[in-house]
Amino acid sequence: MSALNLTLLLIGLLLIAALAAYAWHLWRRVWANQRARDEAQQERQQRIGGDLSILASSLLDEQLPLIEGSIRIKVLLDNYDSALSNDSRCQVFHLLFEATAEVPTHAGWKALDKAERRRFEKRFNELELQHKAAARIAARWLLDEGLKGSRANA
């Protein structure tokens, strides 16, 4: 074998080794990023689960208005676990969310005249009378079973 062939072979092998080392470095970064993403997702799930527990407890203790609590629980459930959110025992939260979807929030609420506010508040009271028991049952189920089962699956 000539010196030129040997030199080219050696350069080729060095190039292959350098590319392999770089590929290994890139894969390690991909794995580290995936691990960090998984940890962030797990922390997010734990945080939302804790928030759901607080909201459900507050709803049961009547520290939170039923309509507001139901809306907040529904939105967090959608972000926490879609299967849990779609469970038939949580449908009351969806029903109350949809029944109040047209109600303006924040500045829109403040901009309403008193007659409109009273009309909405009357509707809230009707909804609360109709669905309070079901919402309390759903909140209790979330605390006792729903969130615990969902955590086991996460």
Side-chain angles (χ1 to χ4, degrees), residues 79-90:
N79 288 290
Y80 181 69
D81 182 347
S82 60
L84 182 60
S85 180
N86 292 322
D87 189 286
S88 62
R89 292 165 283 206
C90 293

Side-chain angles (χ1 to χ4, degrees), residues 13-134:
L13 289 174
L14 287 174
L15 185 60
I16 290 171
L19 288 173
Y22 184 61
W24 176 251
H25 169 72
L26 291 177
W27 274 111
R28 288 186 52 170
R29 285 179 51 188
V30 167
W31 295 327
N33 287 340
Q34 181 64 42
R35 197 169 37 254
R37 201 171 23 256
D38 291 345
E39 289 171 4
Q41 176 66 18
Q42 189 174 20
E43 288 173 13
R44 177 181 176 273
Q45 287 298 100
Q46 289 174 346
R47 188 178 62 252
I48 292 174
D51 292 347
L52 280 165
S53 292
I54 291 168
L55 286 172
S57 294
S58 296
L59 194 128
L60 289 171
D61 295 340
E62 296 183 3
Q63 296 175 347
L64 183 65
L66 179 79
I67 302 298
E68 181 182 348
S70 296
I71 290 169
R72 289 175 184 247
I73 288 171
K74 185 264 185 209
V75 170
L76 284 178
L77 276 173
D78 287 348
N79 288 290
Y80 181 69
D81 182 347
S82 60
L84 182 60
S85 180
N86 292 322
D87 189 286
S88 62
R89 292 165 283 206
C90 293
Q91 289 309 301
V92 67
F93 301 128
H94 289 269
L95 189 141
L96 290 169
F97 179 86
E98 291 166 11
T100 58
E102 78 283 353
V103 178
T105 60
H106 309 294
W109 178 259
K110 292 178 183 177
L112 293 175
D113 63 35
K114 288 184 180 184
E116 285 181 287
R117 277 193 208 166
R118 283 192 199 109
R119 185 175 58 84
F120 283 125
E121 288 168 349
K122 182 180 181 230
R123 179 70 178 133
F124 293 161
N125 289 334
E126 292 168 357
L127 288 168
E128 188 166 337
L129 286 173
Q130 286 178 317
H131 302 289
K132 185 174 185 174

Side-chain angles (χ1 to χ4, degrees), residues 1-16:
M1 198 179 248
S2 73
L4 179 62
N5 286 342
L6 192 56
T7 304
L8 289 176
L9 181 63
L10 185 60
I11 290 173
L13 289 174
L14 287 174
L15 185 60
I16 290 171

